[in-house]
Amino acid sequence: MNGVRVAPFERTSTGMDTLIQTNAIDYVIIVIYFAAVIGIGLLARRQVSGSLDFFLSGRSLPAWVTGLAFVSANLGAVEIMGMSATGAQIGMPTVHYFWIGAVPAMLFLGIVMMPFYYGSKVRSVPEFMRLRFGTGAHLVNAISFALAQLLIAGINLYLLGSIVHALLGWPLWVALIVAAVIVLAYITFGGLSAAIYNEVLQFFVIVASLLPLSLLGLHKVGGWSGLKDKITEMAAANPGQIAPAAEQLHSWPGQALSGFGSPVLSVIGIVFGLGFVLSFGYWTTNFVEVQRAMASDSITSARKTPIIGAFPKMLVPFITILPGMLAAVLVPEIGQVKAGAEVAGGASGQGVTYNDSILYLMRDLLPNGLLGLAIAGLLAAFMAGMAANISAFNTVISVDLWQTYVAKDRDDQYYVTVGRVATLAATIIAIFTALIAGQFSNIMDYLQTLFGFFNAPLFATFIVGMFWKKLTPTAGWVGLVTGTLSAVCVWVLSLVGVVNLPGQGTAFVAASAGFVMDVIVSLLVSQVTKPKPAEELVGFVYSETPKSHFADPKLATMPWYSRPGPLAIIALVMVIVLNIAF
């Protein structure tokens, strides 16, 4: 016994049930972390003198800071609970969310798209859409993006509240409110700078807290070979209920992830549905991520931001997916869930789900002290994710909707105030959207559905409009609406049983349908509507923008290994090697 293994629930001194038993050392570590978070917010407040500082950190941050923030902003509920849950459920195919579904798109963003974003001096992705397509596409994008951020912030808040519930035994609604207030404080104080500097801190805290889980878990199970043996035994003992061991222990062809019975269709679904439509749709057009690169101090730093982020991103599976796989064979409750049983308990108190995998593994493996660090890491991850959603939301509400359509030409401080009010409103709304997230046993199912609705159609409009000057303003918004409705239709068909794919198959098909329908409708509408004049497309369409528009005089003096191109090639080679090895 290491002092933290408990029955499904342990009673606190107040009589409330907790999942994890902690002591004073753990609480000291957690308090120190929260003090640092609030302190960073207060320090960042001193640097906020206008809207550019509040929303884009004054475009003053170096590439290594924005690169780590780029990864950390995404290292929230999806990476920790979602990926560990999917790792526990299906094993190695989950790595496709990183090595196929993230890194290639991040490199594309850095090499091809960031020059357009940064060079155009826009403050948000919807603002880019307005200058390229006009107000129709701008309104559709801004409203849909704002809605998506509220829903996704709810995911992070729900899981953050679940940690507080598991730690202290508070009712979930109380835990949600407390967690929301903490995030609200440092975003309201310091704007994007507070979010970014906290995300850099959170990145190191997260790695330090999750790496011991992988190392201790592998030691306990007998290394990688021992893990493979136990997964093979579990699959053999539960035929038909659990994916075959061969599918869990190899990333390709990934049938346990895609839901397709055919290996060929599975590879096509993963490469096109996840690797192209969902991945490029998320990483290249999602303002939550792009906003970090826009805060860089130069166009070269902006390009390097996602490329630098790609290196730690490709290693994240070893501290998220691997603990999930370990939990499935080391934690009795997760093993029973995987075998089809209903188990009482869980972080929510409503029953154990795959989302609880990493919490139970912490309970069973970590001694006090290290347990406190792990809890701080989880809190850091969920706050980083929620803060990223809310800081992007307040920018879009203030800059794209309020300043553009409601109150033009006000003084700068007025829009900072609007941003802070938007932050408060988003935090309150997220408390309610958190309850929606709680209805899903695997949070990735919910999240990929949202990405299919909002990101896949946007990427279609974006990429066609960037490389085809004849795509018209009318086609821009009509294509977006049609693509979103097409993805929603596929989801509705899955609810009524017409489309029936396990795993992430439905999300891949919905996203693909949204992308394809957007492209087709956009091309057709462009034939009967008027495009913008060529002179208005400079900086927004590749063929109309001279290379000098994106020039950075600093680039010529940089060593080859710190330039965007060579860095991207190194990252691409590394991710290809990982795909071959696993």
Side-chain angles (χ1 to χ4, degrees), residues 127-156:
E127 187 175 16
F128 187 97
M129 293 291 285
R130 177 172 64 82
L131 295 175
R132 171 60 180 90
F133 293 106
T135 57
H138 175 253
L139 269 173
V140 172
N141 179 212
I143 293 171
S144 64
F145 175 83
L147 176 61
Q149 296 320 298
L150 293 176
L151 293 170
I152 298 170
I155 295 174
N156 286 288

Side-chain angles (χ1 to χ4, degrees), residues 41 45 70 159-160 193 266 389 425-426:
R45 184 185 180 93
F70 191 94
L159 294 173
L160 181 55
S193 290
S266 180
N389 298 133

Side-chain angles (χ1 to χ4, degrees), residues 92-309:
M92 282 302 296
T94 313
V95 300
H96 290 314
Y97 285 114
F98 298 85
W99 300 342
I100 295 295
V103 172
M106 293 167 70
L107 301 180
F108 182 83
L109 171 64
I111 295 298
V112 177
M113 298 184 71
M114 274 317 303
F116 286 91
Y117 283 132
Y118 198 90
S120 64
K121 301 299 181 185
V122 297
R123 291 166 293 180
S124 69
V125 171
E127 187 175 16
F128 187 97
M129 293 291 285
R130 177 172 64 82
L131 295 175
R132 171 60 180 90
F133 293 106
T135 57
H138 175 253
L139 269 173
V140 172
N141 179 212
I143 293 171
S144 64
F145 175 83
L147 176 61
Q149 296 320 298
L150 293 176
L151 293 170
I152 298 170
I155 295 174
N156 286 288
L157 182 58
Y158 170 75
L159 294 173
L160 181 55
S162 296
I163 296 295
V164 176
H165 171 79
L167 181 63
L168 299 175
W170 295 350
L172 188 59
W173 67 272
V174 174
L176 288 176
I177 292 173
V178 171
V181 167
I182 294 168
V183 176
L184 174 66
Y186 76 79
I187 294 297
T188 304
F189 287 151
L192 184 62
S193 290
I196 286 180
Y197 282 118
N198 264 309
E199 284 160 4
V200 173
L201 168 66
Q202 287 159 350
F203 174 80
F204 291 108
V205 172
I206 291 164
V207 172
S209 63
L210 295 183
L211 185 59
L213 275 180
S214 296
L215 298 177
L216 292 173
L218 281 175
H219 176 73
K220 185 171 183 178
V221 84
W224 178 248
S225 61
L227 177 60
K228 291 197 294 185
D229 290 342
K230 288 192 175 295
I231 288 175
T232 302
E233 292 171 10
M234 179 180 286
N238 298 275
Q241 182 65 43
I242 298 177
E247 292 184 12
Q248 294 188 59
L249 295 171
H250 300 281
S251 60
W252 294 103
Q255 290 158 281
L257 174 67
S258 68
F260 290 104
S262 164
V264 174
L265 289 178
S266 180
V267 171
I268 293 173
I270 290 171
V271 172
F272 183 74
L274 175 62
F276 181 62
V277 175
L278 279 170
S279 171
F280 278 67
Y282 177 82
W283 291 102
T284 66
T285 66
N286 186 0
F287 183 50
V288 171
E289 307 299 334
V290 173
Q291 187 181 30
R292 272 78 196 141
M294 285 181 172
S296 299
D297 57 13
S298 68
I299 193 169
T300 299
S301 292
R303 295 179 68 196
K304 287 166 61 176
T305 292
I307 298 171
I308 289 172

